[in-house]
Each structure stands twice: as C-alpha cells, then as structure tokens.
Amino acid sequence: MKELTPTVGPPKRSCAIAIVGGGVMGLSIAYQLARRGLTDVVVLERGYLAQGASGRNGGGVRMQWSTELNVRLMQESFVLCRHFALEIGVNVWFRQGGYLFLATREAEREKMERNVALQNRVGVPTRMLSPEEARAIVPELDVSRVVCACYNPKDGVLFPWPFLWGYAHQALARGVEVHLFTEVSAIERSSGGFLLHTSKGPVKAERVVNAAGAWSPQIARLVGVELPDRPHRHEILSTEPLKPFLTPMVSVLSSGLYFSQSMRGEIVTGITVEDHDDDQVKMGSRLKFLTTLARELVRVMPRLADVKILRQWAGPYDVSPDGAPILGEPPGVPGFYLACGFGGHGFMMSPVIGELYAEWLTSGRRHQVFDESRLDRFSKVRPPGGNGHEELIIG
Amino acid sequence: MSSKAIVCRCEDVTLDDVEHTIAIGYRSVEEVKRYTGLGTGPCQGKECMVHAALLCARASGAPPETIAPFTSRPPVAAAPLRIFAAAEKDDDDQAQR
Ligand SMILES: Cc1cc2nc3c(=O)[nH]c(=O)nc-3n(C[C@H](O)[C@H](O)[C@H](O)COP(=O)(O)OP(=O)(O)OC[C@H]3O[C@@H](n4cnc5c(N)ncnc54)[C@H](O)[C@@H]3O)c2cc1C
C-alpha cells in the first residue's frame, strides 16, 4: 500500500460531496465513492484518525443476526473483508475463528433456534450446540450455567486501526481530500447545496454526508434536524498477550460479555454496563466496568483468573431508539445524507454500507436498507411486534 | 540512513518506523501510537513514550514540554483479573480521553 500524507492546508473551496467524520463509516464511503470515479470528495475529521469509536472497538465481525436484512448485509461485508488486504494493500489481521454465543437461560433457546434457522436459510452455516459441544470448541469454558449455544465457524475478528489507514490512503490516492484536526462548526444551506464552516476554512458542497457517529446529532442540528440517536459509552479492555489458544469470539447473551483473542495474542473483552446516558459523549474509564467484567469473565473462563489486564478504555457510539441505523436524507433537507445509528456493530457494517451508499450516490440505485432505515420511521406509529426488529445486539 | 534501533521493545517498533510515521504526516504521539502500535504492549508506554515524544518534538521543532503524551489507561500496572473480580468498591468514573 502506498502510504499518503493526510491533506495539508485548508480544504478546497468547493466539492461534490463533503463527509463529516473520518471514522470507518465516513472513510469507507469516501473510498467507495472514489473507486467509482467520484473523487471530488472532502472528508472532514475533527481529531486524528481513529479518535472516535472506529479506533476503540473490538473488531468483531459476524453474520449471526436475527433479521434477514442484517444477515445479508453482513454476508456482503464478509466478502469485502476477505478481499480487503488484497484490494487495499494492508493487513487487517482478519481471522475467521467463528462466534460462539452461549445461552444461560432456557428462555433464550427458542429465539436462538429461530435465528439459526433464519441464518441457515440465508446460507450462513450456524449450528446449535449442546453445552458439551461448546466446550469441545473452547475447553476452558465453565459450561455449568449454559443451556445451549450456537456457533458460526465463519464469523471473525479484525484489527480496526489498519482498516482506517487503508481506506484513508486509498481515498487520498484517488484524489479525495482527507483533513484531520478539522472541525465542522456550522453548516449553511445555500441554493447549490451547503456551505460548511471548518476550523481550516469554509468549503462548499453539493451534498453532505453526516458520518459523525456519536456526534451525529450535533452535526444534524447544524442543519436543523433533530436525530433520535444518542451517544452511548461502551468500555473494553485488553490483557497481556498469550499464546494463541482461543479460536472463536465467545459471547454470553444474558450479560453481554464477549471475549476473543486478537492476532497479537491479547484477550480483548467487553461487557454491557449500564450508564447514565444523556446527550454527552463520554470516554472515561470506570472501575465498575473492570470489576463487572472481571467477575463474569472469570466465572465463564476460570482459567483466565491469573491473566493480567494491561489496559481498559472506552469509546462512544450512537444508538437509535430501535437499534437500527438511520440512513438517507431527512425530510426537508435533500442532499444531506445520514450514516449513523449503528450502535455496537458499525465497524462490521461499514464495508457494505460504504459500498451501497456509494452506489446510490453515484448511480441512483438504492438498496433496500435505505428504505428500511429512514429517519421518518420514528415519527410514524409502528405496529407492535413487527418482524423487522433486530434482537441480537451485543454491547 | 536506516535505523533498526528499537524504540518500543514490547511491540518491536524501530526508530525507522517512528520517523517514517512522522514523515508521512502523523505527527502527534497519539497518532504514532496508533500507526505503529508503540506503547500498547506490556509496559504501556513507560519505556517508549518519552522517545516517541522527543521524536515528535524534533520533527516539528516544538519544545518537548509542549508535546502531549498519549492518554494513559488504567490499571496503573498490569494486574490479574482475579483481583478485580474480588473487588468491592467499584464506583469511580475517571475523566479521560
Ligand atoms: C468499545 C467498543 C467496542 C465495539 N465493538 C465493535 C465490534 O466488535 N464490532 C463492530 O462492528 N462494532 C463495534 N463497535 C462499534 C463501532 O466502533 C462503531 O459503530 C463504528 O466505529 C462507528 O463508526 P463511525 O465512523 O460512524 O463513528 P466514529 O468512528 O466515532 O467516527 C465519527 C467521527 O466524527 C468526528 N467528528 C465528530 N464531530 C465532528 C465535527 N464537528 N467535525 C468533524 N468531525 C467530527 C469524530 O472525531 C469521529 O472521528 C464498538 C464500539 C466500541 C466503543
């Protein structure tokens, strides 16, 4: 991969598309636009690359979902992940060791069976396992609380940082401007589109993409749009490196615990801990996370009790009221595109969403996901128990 | 001139790696950490951070004392899961980035 310097100096005076937020979502869209020949694109990132959630996540990538749309989207993302190293020219340490979900309550079995059946129908080789079969895959597990499990050997993990460099350098190589340490502070609507005020000067854009993750409600407010997604702090930690021994990512449904072994040998692990969610983006680390995680992890994997924790950190992502993304143009602001609300799974979705967004913006062909992810769904009364609701959300 | 002198022993990051990263435009210690992996191993930057900061200072001509270190992460020293699993107090909330 040719490594390229992020754009120096002020942004160009005008461009076809300005992307606010240089996380994985914004960069994936920028790269895919450029690959299709639309290179008059400016990415505006307030901090350094990987400053937001995209530089702070666990790198889990899975096809096990509870809606057909999400399963199909992730099948496509997997194809893109598998080709990433060759196409982009950077090693993202993508490893398909599988995902093993553990159910500890009898009530979880039925849903699990339903999801596995759906995944099988769509072509994902997930299978139900008994607790003993789960232990055959991870012998260190204490399965005394486990009632059943499901396992897709094709799911995997990757290392997020090089993913960002890869997209950024490939976009730069095609003429896209990628501005770091460049904050967007105001957006004016004008006849030909938008005028964005940035800390490095103004830039006009015919169209704008809001890919600001946890900060996306703030960016939407600049054009008078209220988004219902809210920032959420999610914490994670990593241990000292160990010899490779753990093949799959393991997740306990009832607690939201997940852990995997990275290609660097560390155990990377997180768990759901409730937070006082308000409109603030928070990145502080809490002892409460550390203790909650340590208790549950040692319970599930007693052999890890003496493994040392090296560091814990936190990242912010935005969660929408129904857990599904918010995409497309909000009513009344044509030309302003949303790419937010992905919660704890935006990294794995970014390859396919970048591709589909770029296809829409360059050719007008609009994938089903954009129709299902419109902002105005939140202002409509929805029938209770609709079958489009994603249930398999971790984190 | 190329140098394989080691700056970060935990992650095998060389002087060349760091200088190259700075040369292509990633000039802060946070960026050097993310581009090279420096400081993410068992010592958590206790050995290498100062070198990285000095190299950043040298490249930009800024006085070393103006170079910000990367955010240090808890725990202060590596400690086994067992200790935290047994802990009773757990209600602090550190301000960090
Ligand atoms: C601890 C943790 C674990 C996770 N685990 C997984 C996982 O295993 N798998 C998975 O798929 N996902 C995971 N996620 C979620 C995933 O990281 C996010 O969904 C994804 O990174 C979102 O990407 P993004 O580009 O939308 O947001 P971000 O990466 O947050 O990017 C938004 C960017 O916008 C910038 N910005 C904000 N305001 C402005 C402004 N005014 N002007 C210019 N720029 C601005 C920010 O600096 C930021 O860089 C995890 C998240 C966390 C925190």
Side-chain angles (χ1 to χ4, degrees):
Chain A
M1 175 183 63
K2 183 148 169 37
E3 298 159 293
L4 291 164
T5 304
T7 315
V8 181
K12 55 170 131 175
R13 301 229 321 258
S14 71
C15 63
I17 299 184
I19 299 176
V20 184
V24 72
M25 206 51 82
L27 292 170
S28 165
I29 295 170
Y31 164 67
Q32 291 290 354
L33 286 169
R35 211 172 64 90
R36 285 165 177 73
L38 207 171
T39 57
D40 189 15
V41 174
V42 171
V43 178
L44 303 161
E45 165 53 50
R46 177 172 58 189
Y48 51 83
L49 275 185
Q51 175 141 331
S54 303
R56 298 164 179 270
N57 67 88
V61 196
R62 61 179 156 106
M63 287 174 271
Q64 296 189 59
W65 290 94
S66 79
T67 68
E68 178 168 343
L69 176 61
N70 279 343
V71 178
R72 288 198 189 279
L73 287 172
M74 281 311 303
Q75 282 176 308
E76 183 61 27
S77 251
F78 264 84
V79 174
L80 295 165
C81 284
R82 267 203 304 273
H83 295 148
F84 195 95
L86 273 181
E87 184 181 323
I88 306 279
V90 56
N91 184 359
V92 290
W93 301 1
F94 179 53
R95 180 174 71 83
Q96 287 176 278
Y99 250 68
L100 177 66
F101 280 107
L102 305 177
T104 51
R105 299 174 187 149
E106 196 49 49
E108 290 161 358
R109 183 194 298 271
E110 195 194 318
K111 260 188 200 165
M112 192 178 260
E113 283 171 348
R114 201 173 351 112
N115 292 342
V116 170
L118 164 79
Q119 291 155 19
N120 291 168
R121 182 163 58 71
V122 182
V124 177
T126 315
R127 55 182 194 268
M128 292 294 298
L129 301 180
S130 68
E132 276 318 306
E133 288 169 322
R135 219 161 62 98
I137 294 169
V138 182
E140 298 81 5
L141 279 178
D142 176 349
V143 293
S144 54
R145 287 188 302 149
V146 175
V147 297
C148 62
C150 62
Y151 173 60
N152 170 23
K154 299 285 187 198
D155 289 340
V157 288
L158 52 76
F159 187 30
W161 291 346
F163 230 84
L164 301 176
W165 317 127
Y167 276 146
H169 290 158
Q170 288 288 353
L172 284 161
R174 287 167 171 78
V176 170
E177 290 191 358
V178 179
H179 293 271
L180 306 183
F181 303 103
T182 307
E183 178 168 13
V184 174
S185 54
I187 305 179
E188 284 172 48
R189 293 172 70 182
S190 62
S191 53
F194 303 86
L195 177 67
L196 295 90
H197 295 269
T198 85
S199 51
K200 291 201 181 148
V203 51
K204 272 194 195 159
E206 289 159 30
R207 295 186 278 184
V208 172
V209 176
N210 177 357
W215 298 269
S216 56
Q218 297 172 22
I219 298 301
R221 241 167 255 146
L222 299 179
V223 294
V225 171
E226 263 318 303
L227 293 183
D229 53 328
R230 286 293 166 264
H232 172 80
R233 160 170 50 187
H234 185 67
E235 294 179 70
I236 190 163
L237 66 77
S238 111
T239 70
E240 61 188 322
L242 306 171
K243 269 191 197 170
F245 74 98
L246 178 63
T247 308
M249 168 84 89
V250 182
S251 178
V252 180
L253 289 174
S254 52
S255 62
L257 173 76
Y258 61 88
F259 57 96
S260 70
Q261 189 169 22
S262 77
M263 294 279 274
R264 295 159 39 126
E266 310 155 323
I267 305 297
V268 177
T269 169
I271 194 168
T272 307
V273 179
E274 94 284 356
D275 202 352
H276 312 289
D277 278 335
D278 44 35
D279 285 359
Q280 304 304 311
V281 176
K282 285 174 279 188
M283 297 206 219
S285 294
R286 292 173 298 171
L287 182 58
K288 187 182 182 66
F289 162 76
L290 195 48
T291 52
T292 310
L293 180 124
R295 257 179 237 128
E296 175 75 346
L297 183 56
V298 168
R299 189 146 83 125
V300 178
M301 288 281 279
R303 287 281 297 277
L304 291 181
D306 289 313
V307 172
K308 286 185 184 134
I309 295 167
L310 282 192
R311 66 181 182 282
Q312 70 173 115
W313 67 96
Y317 55 67
D318 56 314
V319 182
S320 75
D322 61 5
I326 309 176
L327 305 173
E329 299 157 282
V333 198
F336 187 82
Y337 295 85
L338 303 167
C340 39
F342 282 94
H345 51 273
F347 204 97
M348 63 177 97
M349 286 283 177
S350 68
V352 61
I353 294 298
E355 184 173 75
L356 297 177
Y357 237 131
E359 185 176 277
W360 178 18
L361 296 179
T362 56
S363 75
R365 270 193 307 276
R366 220 169 89 147
H367 188 270
Q368 173 202 358
V369 68
F370 296 107
D371 299 322
E372 303 216 353
S373 311
R374 296 159 55 102
L375 173 62
D376 61 14
R377 72 181 184 274
F378 298 108
S379 48
K380 291 180 186 145
V381 183
R382 294 233 292 171
N387 58 10
H389 198 82
E390 179 56 58
E391 289 158 352
L392 206 46
I393 289 174
I394 303 295
Chain B
M1 206 177 63
S2 107
S3 169
K4 289 216 182 296
I6 298 286
V7 177
C8 165
R9 289 197 292 174
C10 304
E11 297 299 318
D12 282 349
V13 180
T14 65
L15 182 58
D16 260 5
D17 293 333
V18 176
E19 289 186 332
H20 172 73
T21 302
I22 293 170
I24 59 172
Y26 301 110
R27 307 230 158 100
S28 62
V29 181
E30 292 283 13
E31 289 173 292
V32 169
K33 165 183 166 182
R34 283 166 180 77
Y35 206 75
T36 63
L38 172 141
T40 63
C43 93
Q44 288 293 294
K46 292 182 186 75
E47 290 192 3
C48 57
M49 168 112 75
V50 148
H51 305 304
L54 284 172
L55 290 167
C56 288
R58 192 160 81 188
S60 66
E65 62 273 22
T66 64
I67 303 290
F70 59 68
T71 307
S72 77
R73 309 281 189 208
V76 172
L81 281 159
R82 173 192 302 288
I83 292 180
F84 300 103
E88 277 161 23
K89 180 185 175 305
D90 65 2
D91 55 358
D92 75 328
D93 192 345
Q94 291 198 30
Q96 270 184 16
R97 301 178 318 138

